[in-house]
Amino acid sequence: MNDAARADALLTWFAAAQRSLPWRQTPPDPYATLVSELMLQQTRVDTVVPYFHRWMARWPDLASLAAATLDEVRAAWTGLGYYNRARNLHRAAQAVVARHGGQLPADPAALAALPGVGPYTLGAVRSIGFGQPAALVDGNVARVLSRWFALDAPPASGAGRRALWARAESLLQVPAARAAPSEWNQGLMELGALVCTPKAPLCDRCPVAPWCLALAQGRVAELPTRTPKKRATPVAAAYLLLVRDGAVWCGQRPERGRWAGLWEPPAAEGPDAHAALARTLPMIHDASALPPLTHTLTHRRYTVTPYLLDLQREPPDLSPLGYTASRWVSPDEAAAASSGLSRLAQKLVATISAR
DNA sequence: AACGCGGGGAG
DNA sequence: CTCCCAGCGTT
């Protein structure tokens, strides 16, 4: 039968071709699975690996993570992006300690109730962490299944999402897949990462090419259907770098929103950023403007003008700008992986020592 | 359903 | 440059 042969082909390929990744352990560790899956949300494997090693060395279990402070947790996340994930993981650890005795629950409803655990992560923790026959759909699986079955609905659409999850559930009913849900799901994702890539997929090396409808129809390049994406919004911003003894005066951003809880030199956005900053920090009029630099996020493209001032007096109060705390940050500290500064702020502080 | 949320690697 | 990555929470 088609389904059985295809399942065998993928599982055989995965057994031989899978990458050696630190969270692929036998026996599986549900906590390690949770950590890796939170880190891997919208983030590539190669980026996550060093963060995962540092994380597991520092917090080897949920109890130790729950006992850490949010600032420590967030500092360990510095550079990974999507910082709300760090907050979610920390809160999840505290919830597991409070409600489940420090052991991750195997019950799907209890898992789904944890912060940061959505449909994908639920399927991943269930199948990879606990060996349960649970389906999952991520960006890789969406691409693989869209091609296998020549699905025309955009994966991001409601209809596309429903179709993909239905296929994923259905495939998992094949006995070989159901007997090895961890390997099956990881095999689908590994195939998407290594063979069934977004551009220039390696169809001549694909273990399931004989069963690929898109390949048979010559439509591999046009599937999955792409959804038109929004352009990044241009944003102007001004940062005031107040320097004393080589250190820079930084504030901690609020818990909500962009770069939540991270540190940066005081800043304002918009065409009137300089004026807005001057209302709270009038000393900016004595500062010298440095050459602008750009920093691109997924949805925003920043053009930042840094203003530099050697400060002899006491540093100003930053709370009127919305910062919840403030401290001096040395260039060495800012450059460290666990500085708690956004990448943009790290760039800015680096411009000072480069002068 | 639509939007906000980082940063980096590949082509 | 563009695209997109082991997505989720909020509105």
Side-chain angles (χ1 to χ4, degrees), chain A residues 224-247:
Chain A
T225 304
R226 313 151 100 71
T227 54
K229 53 185 42 181
K230 303 171 292 289
R231 307 281 301 175
T233 309
V235 179
Y239 278 74
L240 178 55
L241 310 177
L242 296 169
V243 179
R244 196 175 75 184
D245 301 329

Side-chain angles (χ1 to χ4, degrees), chain A residues 189-205:
Chain A
M189 294 190 282
E190 198 81 334
L191 188 73
L194 300 182
V195 176
C196 196
T197 51
K199 298 173 184 176
L202 308 173
C203 299
D204 55 339
R205 265 192 260 167

Side-chain angles (χ1 to χ4, degrees), chain A residues 31-350:
Chain A
Y31 168 64
T33 304
L34 182 70
V35 172
S36 64
E37 291 303 336
L38 267 288
M39 288 184 170
L40 286 162
Q41 290 171 5
Q42 291 290 281
T43 308
R44 293 167 187 280
V45 163
D46 291 345
T47 304
V48 166
V49 168
Y51 284 86
F52 178 82
H53 280 303
R54 288 195 295 266
W55 192 281
M56 296 303 289
R58 181 162 181 184
W59 299 299
D61 50 42
L62 283 159
S64 58
L65 178 58
T69 69
L70 178 55
D71 280 334
E72 289 171 336
V73 167
R74 191 160 34 221
W77 205 272
T78 295
L80 260 186
Y82 287 133
Y83 296 94
N84 197 40
R85 295 181 296 172
R87 182 186 173 87
N88 285 338
L89 184 49
H90 188 227
R91 289 171 53 210
Q94 296 185 326
V96 170
V97 167
R99 299 204 289 260
H100 307 290
Q103 292 299 313
L104 208 58
D107 174 53
L111 283 172
L114 296 176
V117 178
Y120 163 77
T121 306
L122 177 62
V125 173
R126 288 186 64 194
S127 62
I128 302 171
F130 289 104
Q132 298 174 11
L136 58 76
V137 176
D138 75 326
N140 287 308
V141 176
R143 186 171 55 255
V144 168
L145 298 190
S146 292
R147 287 172 175 164
W148 278 11
F149 301 107
L151 303 177
D152 288 301
S157 70
R161 223 170 15 245
R162 284 188 292 276
L164 286 165
W165 277 91
R167 293 285 184 174
E169 301 277 4
S170 170
L171 286 169
L172 198 57
Q173 301 311 313
V174 177
R178 195 175 173 79
S182 174
E183 289 75 13
W184 174 253
N185 283 337
Q186 292 190 75
L188 282 174
M189 294 190 282
E190 198 81 334
L191 188 73
L194 300 182
V195 176
C196 196
T197 51
K199 298 173 184 176
L202 308 173
C203 299
D204 55 339
R205 265 192 260 167
C206 180
V208 290
W211 301 277
C212 182
L213 200 49
L215 181 60
Q217 297 176 353
R219 301 178 60 210
V220 169
E222 64 190 64
L223 292 173
T225 304
R226 313 151 100 71
T227 54
K229 53 185 42 181
K230 303 171 292 289
R231 307 281 301 175
T233 309
V235 179
Y239 278 74
L240 178 55
L241 310 177
L242 296 169
V243 179
R244 196 175 75 184
D245 301 329
V248 186
W249 188 235
C250 289
Q252 186 174 28
R253 296 180 60 97
E255 281 300 330
R256 305 292 292 253
R258 185 165 35 88
W259 293 310
L262 297 195
W263 297 77
E264 66 178 13
E269 288 184 11
D272 302 324
H274 181 273
L277 218 44
R279 278 194 289 279
T280 304
L281 305 170
M283 69 282 281
I284 195 174
H285 294 302
D286 300 322
S288 51
L290 303 182
L293 57 88
T294 61
H295 184 79
T296 305
L297 279 53
T298 301
H299 305 295
R300 294 164 179 251
R301 178 176 175 76
Y302 282 87
T303 303
V304 176
T305 307
Y307 293 88
L308 179 62
L309 179 64
D310 199 48
L311 190 69
Q312 302 303 335
R313 343 183 229 107
E314 283 305 296
D317 176 18
L318 300 180
S319 58
L321 291 166
Y323 295 100
T324 57
S326 50
R327 65 183 171 102
W328 291 103
V329 177
S330 72
D332 284 349
E333 183 189 352
S338 60
S339 64
L341 270 68
S342 70
R343 282 293 204 236
L344 173 55
Q346 290 182 330
K347 278 191 202 175
L348 287 162
V349 174

